[in-house]
Amino acid sequence: MSISVMVPAFAGTTENGEPLPFGVGGAVSALLDFVECDRARIARDPAYDGRFFTGVRTTGIYCRPVCPVRPARSANVSFYPSAAAAEAAGFRPCLRCRPETAPFCPAWKGSRTTVERALRLIEEGALDGEGTSVDDLATRVGIGARHLARLFAKHIQASPSQVAKTIRVQRAKRLLDATQSPVAEIALQAGFRGLRRFNSVFAEVYGRPPTEIRRRGSNASGRQMFGPFHW
């Protein structure tokens, strides 16, 4: 599924004055820059867990700052303020650090009430059922759909639809890890409209079907069960 996400084209310049793509050597958010994020992920600083995600271009995987895997070279990474933004950029979740279990602590939380309310509505299923739409979601928060898209692009760097997809997949991943429920049941509990759609989206995000993920984690104890959603 192709999702159009509005993101800034450039986020700074090199020492020679050449433009840098967003997330590469430039500002990641209003409070975090590339150097700070890079230092934090190399040190595996837990204080930054949930504040950004690292996309590794050589592997196509995105990770939490505390990922136990050997850190990639700085030249090969990009930083994103949300899991949804990393997925929209084409990265898959890391199976070692499990982004779906990261704490949710965006720097802007509480200061952007319209976006926060829209996120909560999405978490509650506002874009999951038949007949739901971004237009209806925008109406519920009192603004137009285009303005809502602009706000999400600014603060989340992913569209409302991408956020909804990430939430559904994360919910399903935790259910796969923590329960023995049939995959078809998990698909419905996670908010998907059918098993075929669930299998397709899950494979798109993780690069493998949910049954393979379950087999891979069958020896795990499910220690991290139902952490907060990470958009």
Side-chain angles (χ1 to χ4, degrees), residues 6-8 22 28-29 81 108 112 148-158:
M6 298 185 298
V7 297
F22 187 85
V28 176
S29 72
W108 54 267
R112 303 291 187 271
L148 182 64
R150 285 193 292 268
L151 289 177
F152 268 65
K154 178 180 179 181
H155 299 299
I156 309 297
Q157 289 177 29

Side-chain angles (χ1 to χ4, degrees), residues 167-189:
I167 287 177
R168 287 191 292 268
V169 172
Q170 289 186 347
R171 187 185 292 125
K173 175 61 163 57
R174 287 192 292 273
L175 288 168
L176 283 170
D177 290 340
T179 77
Q180 294 301 315
S181 298
V183 172
E185 183 178 321
I186 287 175
L188 295 177
Q189 290 180 359

Side-chain angles (χ1 to χ4, degrees), residues 19-41:
L20 284 168
F22 187 85
V24 184
V28 176
S29 72
L31 299 178
L32 298 175
D33 63 18
F34 186 95
V35 173
E36 183 179 359
C37 289
D38 203 41
R39 185 184 302 117
R41 63 105 188 174

